[in-house]
Amino acid sequence: MRPRLIPRGLRWYSVDSATNQAHAISTKQQLYTTDPITPGSVFFLPHGTRIFNKLVQFMKHQQTRYGFHEVITPLIYKTKLYQQSGHWENYRDDMFKVVGHDSSKDDGLHEYGLKPMNCPGHCMIFDKFERSYNDLPVRFSDFSSLHRNEASGALSGLTRVRRFHQDDGHIFCDMPQIESEIENTLKLIKDTYKVFGIDQIEYFLSTRPEKYIGDVATWDDAERQLAAVLDKQGQWQERPGDGAFYGPKIDVLLADAFGKKHQVGTIQLDFQLPQRFNLKYVGEDGNHNHQPILIHRAVFGSLERFFAILLDHYQGKWPFWLNPRQAVILPVNESHIEAAEKLQQRLSGDIVSNEADLAPMTGHHFYVDVDKRSDTIGSRIKEAVQKGYSYILLIGDKDIANGTVAIRSRDSRKVENKSADEVYAMFQQLESNYQ
């Protein structure tokens, strides 16, 4: 399908316009904070960390399903690594530099760079061992923190930061595997966004910029392959000259519940880094000089920025599986506090309530609080709704006698009576179905 051209640099929507609202929700729910002492870096508070970790856990499970192997790579490298990768020439003004000791130099010092991306480190890992065509594709994932020296005037909440995390993935493959790897990545992107109620997705192919590395023929071949995959997805558009300096890319835009569009996911085809790092594998013909192709891909992109999008998307009404406040138990009066605390332990899941000395490696963990203040039930229910708890549970004399609990949702006043086991089973099902 012939793409419709759009001007270079055009963006449908900037999440910066939602920063103030997101910050207000975050302050109310105590999710994150910032401080001038470390501009562009976020302090995730306990409740915000719960959401952040759920997003990471979700993506780690998806990565495993798609054959990725997680690695942990260094935070700093000597600048010669970035000189080899080409980032130093093209990106050094956006990098943080640090000085470290080096006994091999006369002055005992050496300049290092805080990593702004993971790909050079993943190339090093690939190159540490002999690889065969039978090993391909080799897929690495990495959730390490990254640092980019954004201009101080451009910093904004979670959407424009200096320290961030990506659901970073790199695929080393050969030419015939490109199409299936990109198709799998696009499927993962679509399935992931659907979990968050997002099914309006647009695709953009960013082509060779004015400043690039490599030869034109290689760029043209890469762009043709990406266009062929996009043709299978249906409609797509082209962003002429908007590719990265090392290869063309597919950008994915999503529309949230309010119809606002955000650029999040990306797939980057790269013939340049394998060449610069002289990466090789043994082919089926026994030749040791076959060079892999590198695919960079991210689904969430920056986790901080995706967090901000979800803040705007849900307006603080998190779905149960993602909610840092999943349920609150309200004892009617002091005589019901002990029963409420026992119910809390039961509903919190087997990671917390397991009677063994050590928590199990796998299991359920739900965030359940007890509000045992002496305020009226009506007042406590109102505050629980304002705080965004998914479910509110009431326990009194009748509930204790019947072995049940009265439960209502955040968005409905309808009250049901369920046993603790029934509530726990409901929580498990909600989490399993990403509801």
Side-chain angles (χ1 to χ4, degrees), residues 111-141:
E111 188 175 37
Y112 292 77
L114 283 173
K115 67 175 178 182
M117 65 283 293
N118 289 307
C119 40
H122 290 187
C123 287
M124 290 183 65
I125 292 176
F126 184 92
D127 194 41
K128 287 292 182 180
F129 306 94
E130 184 172 89
R131 308 286 181 175
S132 160
Y133 71 95
N134 286 317
D135 300 325
L136 302 184
V138 173
R139 307 179 186 94
F140 294 138
S141 67

Side-chain angles (χ1 to χ4, degrees), residues 4 10 40 57 107 117 166-167 173 175 183 185 202 208 271 276 281 304 333 365 370 392 396 433:
R4 180 172 68 84
L10 178 64
Q57 182 185 26
D107 59 4
M117 65 283 293
Q166 279 187 327
D167 58 324
C173 61
M175 190 70 74
E183 285 180 351
T185 300
E202 297 181 18
R208 185 175 68 251
F271 288 87
R276 284 177 167 262
Y281 68 91
E304 283 78 0
N333 58 48
H365 177 41
V370 175
I392 302 164
N433 294 327

